[in-house]
Amino acid sequence: MILVSAPKYSEPYAKEAFEFTQKDLYPGKLIYLERGISERDSSGNLLRYIWTANPLVIDSEVMRSSSFNASLIIEGYARVTPISGDTKYKDAFLEFQNAAKEQGRGIWWTGDPNNNELEKKYKAQFQSAWDYMEKMTAAEYFSAQYALSLIHI
């Protein structure tokens, strides 16, 4: 996706970002893809803005309700990552990111450094995810890999 970088599978909030993506971009859902300047990133991933409704007029409210890229940032499941030339919605996305930071959403949660409950939670989640992945069939694995590639986990 353009301007968006979600946590990688071994980072905090990767699972939440993945689940959010699965919930919003379920199989069969009609989405609209908007091409930016670049076709693909250096890893070969397709670069697009993803819209969950056809954006006839684009303003901040439409972005909040219909841009999947913006939704990930608003919920704190991704950070703004500009790619040379693809900056059409950069200012709005940075505004959404700053609000997510101020609200301590997702990856921006700072919490109590003396409370290691979050660390325990993520260790358990990652172990559970690894256990699940070891039991996946090839079709399940590649389907999951495709879904993960949409948000660069």
Side-chain angles (χ1 to χ4, degrees):
M1 285 184 289
I2 300 174
L3 289 173
V4 173
S5 178
K8 307 299 180 247
Y9 70 91
S10 62
E11 297 173 346
Y13 292 96
K15 181 180 183 221
E16 289 84 352
F18 177 73
E19 289 171 351
F20 182 79
T21 300
Q22 284 185 311
K23 182 180 71 105
D24 265 24
L25 301 181
Y26 55 86
K29 180 171 186 170
L30 179 63
I31 59 171
Y32 301 86
L33 301 176
E34 179 183 349
R35 184 173 185 220
I37 293 171
S38 303
E39 178 71 19
R40 296 187 179 270
D41 66 13
S42 59
S43 299
N45 297 307
L46 191 64
L47 293 173
R48 297 292 185 267
Y49 295 103
I50 300 174
W51 298 91
T52 56
N54 192 355
L56 300 175
V57 177
I58 300 173
D59 60 19
S60 182
E61 284 309 306
V62 169
M63 290 180 91
R64 286 178 187 279
S65 65
S66 301
S67 167
F68 182 72
N69 305 50
S71 295
L72 282 170
I73 295 165
I74 290 166
E75 296 301 322
Y77 296 135
R79 61 179 39 89
V80 178
T81 308
I83 294 175
S84 169
D86 285 312
T87 58
K88 184 174 183 179
Y89 304 117
K90 179 182 166 191
D91 292 340
F93 285 9
L94 286 172
E95 180 183 316
F96 299 150
Q97 179 174 279
N98 288 336
K101 281 181 181 179
E102 288 173 13
Q103 296 166 10
R105 291 177 160 262
I107 60 175
W108 307 112
W109 182 79
T110 54
D112 179 358
N114 298 318
N115 179 356
N116 66 358
E117 289 303 311
L118 188 65
E119 182 180 343
K120 289 177 191 174
K121 173 185 168 187
Y122 282 110
K123 282 184 180 177
Q125 283 179 353
F126 292 137
Q127 186 59 51
S128 175
W130 283 118
D131 292 345
Y132 175 74
M133 286 173 52
E134 287 176 353
K135 297 174 188 168
M136 293 174 107
T137 66
E140 289 172 327
Y141 176 79
F142 289 111
S143 177
Q145 286 301 104
Y146 172 73
L148 290 171
S149 73
L150 290 175
I151 58 172
H152 302 282
I153 288 182

